[in-house]
Amino acid sequence: MRIARFSTGDEMSFGVVEGDSVAAIAAHPFGELRLTGARFALEDVRLLAPILPSKVVAIGKNYAEHAREMGGEPPAEPVIFSKPSTSVIGPGEAVAYPSKITQRVDYEGELAVVIGRMCREVPASRARDVILGYTCANDVTARDLQQRDGQWTRAKGFDTFCPLGPWIETETDPADLAITTTVNGEVRQSARTSELIHSVPALIEYVSQVMTLLPGDVILTGTPAGVGPLKVGDEVSVTVESIGTLTNRVAERD
């Protein structure tokens, strides 16, 4: 099942994507879904970020080749950091390049996990019980600031630096999905989630030992090798097998 968040003019709704249309649901996607009877063609609605999380928990250096391209060996334990909820945007929205502050902004295509219910201290064997589904993500990063600061909050936290979408896929198995990032149609990253050092269940266990996860919270699972710079005017797309494609353009920040 694919759950989207969309707008029809001034109204925002959640819905179930079925082919070329979306069927609106009442309230939110946590718990039993109840259709309202309203249905819209996808071409007539605007897809939004599929969820607005209370927090985005991200994992650094979770693909071995990416860890090495960043100048180190893969870490023994997951490296966790956070991105503010204000960094989240949806498909088709612009990534705002803050050129007055940074001279290098990179793409980082990732598989994202959306939490379905409040939980903490979840064993890996029960991780699936607390997951609503999966979506595509771009962990946009001001690389020069990341290197200069030594910690990652500023570099990862700009408004618009966490595109999510196009929807939440609830039924896929995240163990071995192809993930591809393109810039202006050229493939820049290509890997499979089976290459993750720490699997999705392992990440749920690790993160939930640290903090309570709330419905709608997002975990970014890490990016493969091949990260690189973006420039104003670029179109960047992240595709995850069985989920879909998230596309955003880069624009100068006002």
Side-chain angles (χ1 to χ4, degrees):
M1 180 186 300
R2 289 176 170 174
I3 298 173
R5 182 170 161 268
F6 66 96
S7 69
T8 55
D10 295 333
E11 294 188 8
M12 185 279 292
S13 303
F14 286 100
V16 177
V17 177
E18 299 173 334
D20 295 330
S21 66
V22 56
I25 62 175
H28 54 70
F30 308 107
E32 184 178 355
L33 301 185
R34 183 169 59 85
L35 298 178
T36 66
R39 183 179 294 271
F40 308 90
L42 277 175
E43 64 181 7
D44 294 334
V45 304
R46 178 188 173 203
L47 291 179
L48 308 172
I51 204 71
L52 292 179
S54 76
K55 55 185 172 290
V56 178
V57 182
I59 309 299
K61 302 180 180 180
N62 201 26
Y63 287 82
E65 289 306 310
H66 173 60
R68 295 187 180 104
E69 77 175 349
M70 298 303 290
E73 288 300 310
E77 293 184 304
V79 176
I80 65 174
F81 61 95
S82 63
K83 295 172 80 81
S85 59
T86 47
S87 67
V88 173
I89 58 172
E93 294 187 68
V95 173
Y97 197 125
S99 60
K100 294 179 181 179
I101 305 172
T102 176
Q103 279 68 60
R104 176 165 170 171
V105 171
D106 282 14
Y107 56 83
E108 294 191 8
E110 308 198 11
L111 170 71
V113 183
V114 182
I115 298 300
R117 63 181 179 86
M118 186 171 70
C119 60
R120 66 183 178 92
E121 298 182 353
V122 181
S125 61
R126 292 185 49 235
R128 188 64 190 91
D129 296 342
V130 304
I131 295 172
L132 175 63
Y134 308 89
T135 192
C136 308
N138 190 346
D139 176 21
V140 181
T141 304
R143 192 69 69 200
D144 54 346
L145 301 185
Q146 182 185 28
Q147 294 168 349
R148 184 190 312 166
D149 292 351
Q151 53 81 24
W152 303 352
T153 302
R154 182 167 66 135
K156 303 277 192 175
F158 284 92
D159 291 354
T160 77
F161 271 26
C162 189
L164 297 175
W167 40 60
I168 300 167
E169 171 58 61
T170 65
E171 297 176 0
T172 194
D173 182 345
D176 186 28
L177 301 175
I179 179 169
T180 305
T181 304
T182 65
V183 178
N184 302 325
E186 178 183 344
V187 175
R188 300 290 181 84
Q189 293 179 290
S190 181
R192 301 194 70 86
T193 56
S194 55
E195 300 171 45
L196 286 167
I197 299 169
H198 306 286
S199 68
V200 168
L203 294 177
I204 296 289
E205 178 173 347
Y206 191 85
V207 173
S208 69
Q209 288 176 344
V210 178
M211 64 191 77
T212 298
L213 296 171
L214 302 178
D217 282 352
V218 170
I219 297 177
L220 307 186
T221 59
T223 196
V227 299
L230 295 165
K231 62 181 185 298
V232 172
D234 282 346
E235 181 180 85
V236 56
S237 296
V238 178
T239 300
V240 180
E241 180 183 0
S242 84
I243 296 176
T245 298
L246 166 68
T247 298
N248 302 87
R249 285 195 174 272
V250 182
E252 183 67 49
R253 181 174 177 175
D254 294 334

